[in-house]
Amino acid sequence: MPDRGGGPTGPRMRVGRPSRRVRTLMTTLGVLAALAMLFVMFAGFWTDWLWYRSVHYSSVFTTTLGTKIGLFAVFGVLMALAVGTNIWLAHRLRPPLSAMSAEQQSLDRYRMSIAPYKKWVLLAVTALVGLVAGASAAGQWRTWLQWINGVPFHQKDPQFHKDISFYTFDLPWYRFLLSFGFAAAVLSLIAAALVHYLYGGLRLTSPGHRATAAATGHLAVLLGLFVTLKAVAYWLDRYGLAVKSSGLKSTDGWTGLRYVDAHAYLPAKTILFIIALICAVLFFATLWRRTWQLPVIGFGLMVLSAILIGGLYPAIVQKFQVSPDEQTKEAPYIAKNIKATREAYGIDKTKVDDAYPGKGNASTDKNALRDLASSTASLRLLDPNIVSPAFQQERQDRGYYQFPSTLAVDRYKVDGKDQDTVIGLRELNIKGIPERNWINDHFKYTHGYGAVTAKGDSVPKGGGPDFQDDKVLGPYEPRVYYGEKTTQYSIVGGPQKELDKPGDEGRESYSYGGKSGVDLSNPVNRAAYAVAFGEPKILYSGAIGEGSKILYNRTPKARVEAVAPWLTINSDAYPAVVDGRIQWIVDAYTTTNGYPYASRTTLGDTTADSLTTGQRAVVAQQNRVNYIRNSVKATVDAYDGSVKLYQWDTEDPVLKTWMKAFPGTVKPKSEIGSKLKDHLRYPQDLFKVQRELLARYHVTDPGAFYTGSQRWEVPDDPTNKGNAVPPYYLSMKMPDQRKQTFSLTTTFTPKNRLNLGAFMAVDADARSDEYGRIRILQPKATIWGPSQAQSSFNSDPAAASEIKLLRGGDSEIEYGNLLTVPVNGGLLYVEPVYVRGARTNYPLLKKVFVTYGEKIAFKDTLGEALDEVFGGQQKPGGKQPPDGTKQPPAGNPTVKQAVKDAQDAYSAGQKALEKQDWEAYGKAQKDLKDALDRLAKAEAQAEEKNGGKPGS
């Protein structure tokens, strides 16, 4: 054939193995690829270890990793041994000669093809099942640690009288072991059956016996083990009834035994347990009897019993015994559910006042009522959910700073008194950097700067926040390297300097001096982080040198979750300035899904409200629990990122269990400093979970609970329809309290109705002896609920007219938090109204809406609105007169006596107010008026004596 330019013209070339050079190259590439994959795996492990070591929680990393490796190894090896042993045994028990049949002849070629590789096939199969089983077991590290470290609750369930720790710590581990046993038995049975079939121990179409005696005995034993495990499952199912969810009229997430469970399912499970044991014995007996007849009959009986006893019989009991009189039959079990649920969610000590009048005392003096309204609560006009744009406009200082959309409410001492304060941190906004590049994003713009505070219960004339940073905070470290908005990594402390300080000094450089971060001087560390972050520049950049450290995992929630992976973290961290440092305070919860009889709730759904639609996250959306405690208070330093966990609930068995598993990670409650304790508060998410449960479980009578006639529901936010109203922090006092305390409040409406069903408040001040005490006022009278109060405001002609004027031009109206406060037997609603103008582009407080009873006021200030609603004016109450008023002569004995009488009358009036003794209050007011009249007369005499000039 002529050469067509496609190959050699000489003799025909022989195709053989690749050349040595090609083989060497391929081997080298394969080795390099394997090393690269190993280094990628190593990088993830190594960077995790470096991070945990940098935050001084390396024990969490080693304990978690060691537990996972241990479980992986133990259960992986057990599964591999179980399956491998049965494959080996089935092969060993193969018949010496296969039957002469078409079936066996067709299998000969498979046997012959496998014969040279039998050991490798065995190793491959056992390794595969071992890896899968080990990976599954490693995921049970929490279950294992809770089981091995479990602490008793010292409280027993009402049905089986076992300690609750059995259900929370032991039962989950036993169920895992059972599921592992089932998996091992089933895989071993399948593998053994396949080998027996392949080597002639089992025959499907061949003449004669379908199975050899050896195969029959082997498979019978495996089936006997499977049925034995089924018997164990039936026994554990008995206890599982105490934590089983089921439906019951007027309940959601019902957990625990019902009448049909106690009288049908429970005895059925016991009977099925006995039948399964008998059936297992029949399978084991096949070793001697060499027949499948009895075990097959026994297995059929077990299946039939499961259908009749485990399914049909309970249905008959429900239909003919329970349904005709369900309320009576279920009453004892409802009572158990109510008791367990209230205990599990910490609402069992809730104080419900079902005799609250709901209507104000008509005989109360107007001026006294006006004074009472002011002394009952520090009404917060500055809404932290609205005023963030004002903080942004007034105190942002640079475009690369930002405030959170929802600010925090805290307390700070001003002139020796607690003041409700709105606070936000000026955090770094990576999107606001003027020129985006790798150096700017990660080296120069590294931190925020400073906290900004404003007075919560008053607003200056212009309507903007009353900023009080210097007055409230004092000197402190202002740099914010760790915050809720700080999600990117930064490299600090090296040759590249950072920008520092807002305002006129915004170009001043700074070099991080904190102890946090991972050292990048080591080339191995740099290479590991370059791989872990997918950024090769980390490996060779000249901006990284001696002293360079990388900061990451910078949000408070992420850091606490990492060092305490066994905690459920509150959705919202808040900042506080403590001992000259900005500390993020994070509330954390211990939870379980195995508290017997306690109804379950989904945290993500329960903690959602009108603020979680974009402003704030919710707790673990699918985290379904039936026990929760705010057991840990955590802090994260905004400058050096140090994380501290403090034990808060000293009685919580779940926390004690985790403290045994991770010793030394949680500090005792006694180490919480007094200044930090000043800023600790009752967490909103726990409060929202409790209010959701109290909407049903405030009812303790089983009959009333069953009918659902007294159920409440959390109302919609009147200014954000379709979303639950959020709870609000404010300082106030309930009717049985003598003074104001920092509280968290909410309202309820009756099911499918709009009027107010109840008012709920919890003592949120960690310094209070009654911290965590929940109080509920249930009015006897029918009064407006939040949406009705809002509707009455919107429909008021005078208010509507003013709103129309305020909306003139390009202005927008924003309604603030609708606060509810109990006053003199009634309920006072207060709502600030903000106007966002085209020029300012941020909301300014312009009006205040107040309603009490059916009286409505819409005024420029809170004081004016309260005066109009109550028809009185606030007494001076011993306050210093405004600048420019005339002071009475101090040296006159008559004046001294009048001043003393006025002070005594005021004190008597305040005591009468606290006791709501209106007769005594009226007398004190008369005495006060008399003393003030004498002071005025003395002043007039002094002026006359001095020629019209005030006395000295």
Coordinates of all heavy atoms in Angstrom, one line a residue, residues 631-695:
S631 N -28.8 27.5 79.5 CA -27.9 27.0 80.4 C -26.5 27.7 80.4 O -25.8 27.6 81.3 CB -27.7 25.5 80.2 OG -27.4 25.3 78.9
V632 N -26.2 28.4 79.3 CA -24.9 29.0 79.1 C -25.0 30.4 78.7 O -25.8 30.7 77.8 CB -24.1 28.2 78.1 CG1 -22.8 28.9 77.8 CG2 -23.8 26.8 78.6
K633 N -24.3 31.3 79.3 CA -24.1 32.7 78.8 C -22.6 32.7 78.3 O -21.7 32.4 79.0 CB -24.2 33.7 79.9 CG -25.6 33.7 80.6 CD -26.7 34.3 79.8 CE -28.0 34.5 80.5 NZ -29.0 35.1 79.7
A634 N -22.5 33.2 77.0 CA -21.2 33.2 76.4 C -20.8 34.7 76.1 O -21.7 35.5 75.8 CB -21.1 32.3 75.2
T635 N -19.5 34.9 76.1 CA -19.0 36.3 75.6 C -18.0 36.1 74.6 O -17.2 35.1 74.6 CB -18.5 37.1 76.8 OG1 -17.3 36.4 77.4 CG2 -19.5 37.3 77.9
V636 N -17.9 37.0 73.6 CA -16.9 37.0 72.6 C -16.3 38.5 72.6 O -17.1 39.4 72.4 CB -17.4 36.7 71.2 CG1 -16.3 36.8 70.2 CG2 -18.0 35.3 71.2
D637 N -15.0 38.6 72.9 CA -14.4 39.9 72.9 C -14.3 40.4 71.5 O -13.8 39.8 70.6 CB -13.0 39.8 73.5 CG -12.4 41.1 73.8 OD1 -12.0 41.9 72.8 OD2 -12.3 41.5 75.0
A638 N -14.8 41.7 71.3 CA -14.8 42.2 69.9 C -13.5 42.6 69.4 O -13.3 42.7 68.2 CB -15.7 43.5 69.9
Y639 N -12.4 42.7 70.3 CA -11.1 43.0 69.8 C -10.2 41.8 69.6 O -9.6 41.6 68.5 CB -10.4 43.9 70.8 CG -9.0 44.4 70.4 CD1 -8.9 45.3 69.4 CD2 -7.9 43.9 71.1 CE1 -7.6 45.7 69.0 CE2 -6.6 44.3 70.7 CZ -6.5 45.2 69.6 OH -5.2 45.6 69.2
D640 N -10.2 40.9 70.6 CA -9.3 39.8 70.4 C -10.0 38.4 70.2 O -9.4 37.4 70.1 CB -8.3 39.6 71.7 CG -9.1 39.3 72.9 OD1 -10.2 38.8 72.9 OD2 -8.5 39.6 74.0
G641 N -11.3 38.5 70.1 CA -12.1 37.3 69.7 C -12.1 36.2 70.8 O -12.6 35.1 70.5
S642 N -11.6 36.4 72.0 CA -11.6 35.4 73.0 C -13.0 35.0 73.4 O -13.9 35.8 73.5 CB -10.8 35.8 74.2 OG -11.4 37.0 74.7
V643 N -13.3 33.7 73.5 CA -14.6 33.2 73.8 C -14.6 32.6 75.2 O -13.7 31.8 75.6 CB -15.0 32.0 72.8 CG1 -16.4 31.5 73.1 CG2 -14.9 32.5 71.4
K644 N -15.6 33.0 76.0 CA -15.8 32.5 77.4 C -17.2 31.9 77.5 O -18.1 32.6 77.1 CB -15.5 33.5 78.4 CG -14.0 34.0 78.4 CD -13.8 35.1 79.5 CE -12.3 35.5 79.4 NZ -12.1 36.6 80.4
L645 N -17.3 30.7 78.0 CA -18.6 30.1 78.3 C -18.8 30.1 79.8 O -17.9 29.6 80.5 CB -18.6 28.7 77.7 CG -18.2 28.5 76.3 CD1 -18.2 27.0 75.9 CD2 -19.2 29.3 75.4
Y646 N -19.9 30.5 80.3 CA -20.2 30.6 81.7 C -21.5 29.7 82.0 O -22.5 29.8 81.2 CB -20.5 32.0 82.2 CG -19.3 32.9 82.1 CD1 -19.2 33.8 81.0 CD2 -18.3 32.9 83.1 CE1 -18.1 34.7 80.9 CE2 -17.2 33.7 83.0 CZ -17.1 34.6 81.9 OH -16.0 35.5 81.8
Q647 N -21.4 28.9 83.0 CA -22.6 28.1 83.4 C -23.6 29.1 84.0 O -23.3 29.8 84.9 CB -22.1 27.1 84.4 CG -23.3 26.2 84.9 CD -22.8 25.2 86.0 OE1 -21.8 25.4 86.6 NE2 -23.6 24.1 86.2
W648 N -24.8 29.0 83.5 CA -25.8 29.9 84.0 C -26.9 29.1 84.8 O -27.3 29.5 85.8 CB -26.5 30.7 82.8 CG -27.5 31.7 83.3 CD1 -28.8 31.7 83.0 CD2 -27.2 32.9 84.0 NE1 -29.4 32.8 83.6 CE2 -28.5 33.5 84.2 CE3 -26.1 33.4 84.6 CZ2 -28.6 34.7 84.9 CZ3 -26.2 34.6 85.3 CH2 -27.5 35.2 85.5
D649 N -27.4 28.0 84.2 CA -28.3 27.1 84.9 C -27.5 26.1 85.6 O -27.0 25.1 84.9 CB -29.3 26.5 83.8 CG -30.4 25.8 84.5 OD1 -30.2 25.3 85.7 OD2 -31.5 25.7 83.9
T650 N -27.4 26.2 86.9 CA -26.5 25.2 87.6 C -27.2 23.9 87.9 O -26.6 23.0 88.4 CB -26.1 25.9 89.0 OG1 -27.3 26.3 89.7 CG2 -25.3 27.1 88.7
E651 N -28.5 23.8 87.6 CA -29.2 22.6 87.9 C -29.5 21.7 86.6 O -30.0 20.6 86.7 CB -30.6 22.9 88.5 CG -30.5 23.7 89.8 CD -29.7 23.0 90.9 OE1 -29.8 21.7 91.0 OE2 -28.9 23.6 91.6
D652 N -29.2 22.2 85.4 CA -29.5 21.5 84.2 C -28.7 20.3 84.0 O -27.5 20.3 83.8 CB -29.3 22.5 83.0 CG -29.6 21.8 81.7 OD1 -30.4 20.9 81.7 OD2 -29.0 22.2 80.7
P653 N -29.3 19.1 84.0 CA -28.6 17.8 83.8 C -27.9 17.7 82.4 O -26.9 17.1 82.3 CB -29.6 16.7 84.0 CG -30.8 17.4 84.7 CD -30.8 18.8 84.2
V654 N -28.6 18.3 81.4 CA -28.0 18.2 80.1 C -26.7 19.0 80.0 O -25.7 18.5 79.5 CB -29.0 18.8 79.0 CG1 -28.4 18.6 77.6 CG2 -30.3 18.0 79.1
L655 N -26.6 20.2 80.6 CA -25.4 20.9 80.7 C -24.3 20.2 81.5 O -23.1 20.1 81.1 CB -25.6 22.3 81.3 CG -24.3 23.2 81.5 CD1 -23.7 23.4 80.1 CD2 -24.7 24.5 82.1
K656 N -24.7 19.6 82.6 CA -23.7 18.8 83.4 C -23.2 17.7 82.7 O -22.0 17.4 82.8 CB -24.4 18.3 84.7 CG -24.8 19.4 85.7 CD -25.5 18.9 86.9 CE -25.9 20.0 87.9 NZ -26.6 19.4 89.1
T657 N -24.0 17.0 81.8 CA -23.5 15.9 81.0 C -22.4 16.4 80.0 O -21.4 15.8 79.9 CB -24.7 15.3 80.3 OG1 -25.6 14.7 81.2 CG2 -24.2 14.3 79.3
W658 N -22.7 17.5 79.4 CA -21.7 18.1 78.4 C -20.5 18.6 79.1 O -19.4 18.5 78.5 CB -22.4 19.2 77.5 CG -23.3 18.6 76.5 CD1 -24.7 18.9 76.4 CD2 -23.0 17.7 75.5 NE1 -25.2 18.2 75.4 CE2 -24.3 17.5 74.7 CE3 -21.9 17.1 75.0 CZ2 -24.3 16.7 73.6 CZ3 -22.0 16.3 73.9 CH2 -23.2 16.1 73.2
M659 N -20.6 19.1 80.3 CA -19.5 19.6 81.0 C -18.6 18.4 81.4 O -17.3 18.5 81.5 CB -19.9 20.4 82.3 CG -20.5 21.7 81.9 SD -21.1 22.6 83.3 CE -19.6 23.1 84.2
K660 N -19.2 17.2 81.7 CA -18.4 16.0 81.9 C -17.7 15.6 80.6 O -16.5 15.1 80.6 CB -19.3 14.9 82.4 CG -19.6 14.9 83.9 CD -20.4 13.7 84.3 CE -19.7 12.4 84.1 NZ -20.5 11.3 84.5
A661 N -18.4 15.7 79.5 CA -17.8 15.3 78.2 C -16.6 16.2 77.8 O -15.7 15.8 77.2 CB -18.9 15.2 77.1
F662 N -16.8 17.5 78.1 CA -15.8 18.5 77.7 C -15.3 19.3 78.9 O -15.7 20.5 79.1 CB -16.4 19.5 76.6 CG -16.7 18.9 75.3 CD1 -18.0 18.4 75.1 CD2 -15.8 18.7 74.3 CE1 -18.4 17.9 73.9 CE2 -16.1 18.1 73.1 CZ -17.4 17.7 72.9
P663 N -14.6 18.6 79.8 CA -14.2 19.3 81.1 C -13.4 20.5 80.8 O -12.5 20.6 79.9 CB -13.4 18.2 81.8 CG -13.0 17.3 80.7 CD -14.0 17.3 79.7
G664 N -13.6 21.6 81.6 CA -12.8 22.8 81.6 C -13.2 23.8 80.5 O -12.7 24.9 80.5
T665 N -14.2 23.4 79.7 CA -14.6 24.4 78.7 C -15.7 25.4 79.2 O -15.7 26.5 78.6 CB -15.3 23.7 77.5 OG1 -16.4 22.9 77.9 CG2 -14.2 22.8 76.8
V666 N -16.4 25.1 80.2 CA -17.5 26.0 80.7 C -17.0 26.4 82.1 O -16.8 25.6 83.0 CB -18.8 25.3 80.8 CG1 -19.9 26.2 81.3 CG2 -19.2 24.8 79.4
K667 N -17.0 27.7 82.3 CA -16.6 28.3 83.6 C -17.8 28.3 84.5 O -18.9 28.4 84.1 CB -16.1 29.7 83.4 CG -14.8 29.9 82.5 CD -14.5 31.3 82.4 CE -13.2 31.5 81.4 NZ -12.0 30.9 82.0
P668 N -17.5 28.2 85.8 CA -18.6 28.2 86.8 C -19.3 29.5 86.9 O -18.7 30.6 86.5 CB -18.0 27.8 88.1 CG -16.5 28.2 87.9 CD -16.2 27.9 86.5
K669 N -20.5 29.5 87.3 CA -21.3 30.8 87.3 C -20.7 31.8 88.2 O -20.8 33.0 88.0 CB -22.8 30.4 87.8 CG -23.7 31.6 87.8 CD -25.1 31.1 88.1 CE -26.1 32.2 88.0 NZ -27.5 31.8 88.3
S670 N -20.0 31.4 89.3 CA -19.4 32.3 90.2 C -18.3 33.2 89.6 O -18.0 34.2 90.1 CB -18.8 31.5 91.4 OG -17.8 30.6 90.9
E671 N -17.8 32.8 88.4 CA -16.8 33.6 87.7 C -17.4 34.8 86.9 O -16.6 35.5 86.3 CB -15.9 32.7 86.9 CG -15.0 31.8 87.7 CD -13.9 31.1 86.9 OE1 -13.6 31.7 85.8 OE2 -13.4 30.1 87.3
I672 N -18.7 34.8 86.8 CA -19.3 36.0 86.1 C -19.2 37.2 86.9 O -19.7 37.3 88.0 CB -20.8 35.7 85.8 CG1 -21.0 34.4 85.0 CG2 -21.5 36.9 85.1 CD1 -22.4 34.1 84.7
G673 N -18.4 38.2 86.4 CA -18.2 39.4 87.1 C -19.5 40.3 87.2 O -20.4 40.1 86.4
S674 N -19.5 41.1 88.2 CA -20.7 41.9 88.5 C -21.0 42.9 87.3 O -22.2 43.1 87.0 CB -20.5 42.7 89.8 OG -19.4 43.6 89.7
K675 N -20.0 43.4 86.7 CA -20.2 44.4 85.6 C -20.7 43.7 84.4 O -21.5 44.2 83.6 CB -18.9 45.1 85.3 CG -18.5 46.1 86.4 CD -17.2 46.9 86.0 CE -16.8 47.8 87.1 NZ -15.6 48.6 86.8
L676 N -20.3 42.4 84.1 CA -20.9 41.7 83.1 C -22.3 41.3 83.4 O -23.2 41.4 82.5 CB -20.0 40.4 82.8 CG -20.6 39.4 81.8 CD1 -20.8 40.0 80.4 CD2 -19.7 38.2 81.7
K677 N -22.6 40.9 84.6 CA -23.9 40.5 85.0 C -24.9 41.7 84.8 O -26.1 41.4 84.6 CB -23.9 40.0 86.5 CG -25.1 39.2 86.9 CD -24.9 38.6 88.2 CE -26.1 37.7 88.6 NZ -25.9 37.1 89.9
D678 N -24.4 42.9 84.9 CA -25.3 44.1 84.7 C -25.9 44.1 83.4 O -27.0 44.7 83.2 CB -24.5 45.4 84.9 CG -24.1 45.6 86.4 OD1 -24.7 45.0 87.3 OD2 -23.3 46.5 86.6
H679 N -25.3 43.4 82.4 CA -25.7 43.5 81.0 C -26.4 42.1 80.5 O -26.8 42.1 79.4 CB -24.6 43.8 80.1 CG -24.0 45.2 80.4 ND1 -24.6 46.4 79.9 CD2 -22.9 45.6 81.1 CE1 -23.9 47.4 80.3 NE2 -22.9 47.0 81.0
L680 N -26.4 41.1 81.4 CA -27.0 39.9 81.0 C -28.5 40.1 81.1 O -29.0 40.8 81.9 CB -26.6 38.7 81.9 CG -25.1 38.4 81.9 CD1 -24.8 37.2 82.8 CD2 -24.6 38.1 80.5
R681 N -29.2 39.4 80.2 CA -30.7 39.6 80.1 C -31.4 38.3 79.7 O -30.7 37.3 79.3 CB -31.0 40.7 79.1 CG -30.7 40.3 77.7 CD -30.9 41.5 76.7 NE -30.9 41.0 75.3 CZ -30.8 41.8 74.3 NH1 -30.8 43.1 74.5 NH2 -30.8 41.3 73.1
Y682 N -32.7 38.2 79.9 CA -33.4 37.0 79.5 C -33.5 37.0 78.0 O -33.9 38.0 77.3 CB -34.8 37.1 80.1 CG -35.5 35.8 80.2 CD1 -35.2 34.9 81.3 CD2 -36.5 35.4 79.3 CE1 -35.9 33.7 81.4 CE2 -37.1 34.1 79.4 CZ -36.8 33.3 80.5 OH -37.4 32.1 80.6
P683 N -33.2 35.9 77.4 CA -33.1 35.8 75.9 C -34.4 35.8 75.2 O -35.4 35.2 75.7 CB -32.3 34.5 75.6 CG -32.5 33.7 76.8 CD -32.7 34.6 78.0
Q684 N -34.5 36.5 74.1 CA -35.8 36.6 73.4 C -36.2 35.3 72.8 O -37.4 35.0 72.8 CB -35.7 37.6 72.2 CG -35.8 39.1 72.6 CD -35.8 40.0 71.4 OE1 -35.0 39.9 70.5 NE2 -36.7 41.0 71.4
D685 N -35.3 34.5 72.3 CA -35.7 33.3 71.6 C -36.3 32.3 72.6 O -37.3 31.6 72.3 CB -34.5 32.6 70.9 CG -34.2 33.3 69.7 OD1 -35.1 34.0 69.1 OD2 -33.0 33.3 69.2
L686 N -35.8 32.2 73.8 CA -36.4 31.3 74.9 C -37.7 31.9 75.2 O -38.7 31.1 75.4 CB -35.4 31.3 76.1 CG -36.0 30.5 77.3 CD1 -36.2 29.1 76.9 CD2 -35.0 30.6 78.5
F687 N -37.9 33.2 75.4 CA -39.1 33.8 75.7 C -40.2 33.5 74.6 O -41.3 33.2 75.0 CB -39.0 35.3 75.9 CG -40.2 36.0 76.3 CD1 -40.6 36.0 77.7 CD2 -40.9 36.8 75.5 CE1 -41.7 36.7 78.1 CE2 -42.0 37.5 75.9 CZ -42.4 37.4 77.2
K688 N -39.8 33.5 73.4 CA -40.7 33.2 72.3 C -41.2 31.8 72.3 O -42.3 31.4 72.0 CB -40.1 33.6 70.9 CG -40.1 35.1 70.7 CD -39.7 35.5 69.3 CE -38.2 35.5 69.1 NZ -37.8 36.0 67.8
V689 N -40.2 30.9 72.6 CA -40.6 29.5 72.7 C -41.6 29.3 73.9 O -42.6 28.6 73.8 CB -39.3 28.6 73.0 CG1 -39.7 27.2 73.3 CG2 -38.5 28.6 71.7
Q690 N -41.3 29.9 75.0 CA -42.2 29.8 76.2 C -43.6 30.4 75.9 O -44.6 29.8 76.4 CB -41.5 30.4 77.4 CG -40.3 29.6 77.9 CD -39.6 30.3 79.0 OE1 -39.4 31.5 79.0 NE2 -39.0 29.5 79.9
R691 N -43.6 31.5 75.3 CA -44.9 32.1 75.0 C -45.8 31.3 74.1 O -47.0 31.2 74.2 CB -44.8 33.5 74.5 CG -44.4 33.7 73.1 CD -44.5 35.1 72.6 NE -44.1 35.2 71.2 CZ -44.0 36.4 70.5 NH1 -44.4 37.5 71.1 NH2 -43.6 36.4 69.2
E692 N -45.1 30.6 73.1 CA -45.8 29.7 72.2 C -46.4 28.6 72.9 O -47.5 28.2 72.7 CB -44.8 29.2 71.1 CG -45.5 28.3 70.1 CD -46.4 29.1 69.1 OE1 -46.2 30.3 69.0 OE2 -47.3 28.5 68.5
L693 N -45.7 28.0 73.9 CA -46.2 26.9 74.7 C -47.3 27.4 75.7 O -48.3 26.7 75.9 CB -45.1 26.2 75.5 CG -44.3 25.1 74.8 CD1 -45.3 23.9 74.5 CD2 -43.7 25.5 73.5
L694 N -47.1 28.6 76.3 CA -48.0 29.1 77.2 C -49.4 29.5 76.6 O -50.4 29.5 77.3 CB -47.5 30.3 78.0 CG -46.5 29.9 79.1 CD1 -45.8 31.2 79.6 CD2 -47.3 29.3 80.3
A695 N -49.4 29.7 75.3 CA -50.6 29.9 74.6 C -51.6 28.8 74.8 O -52.8 28.9 74.8 CB -50.4 30.2 73.1

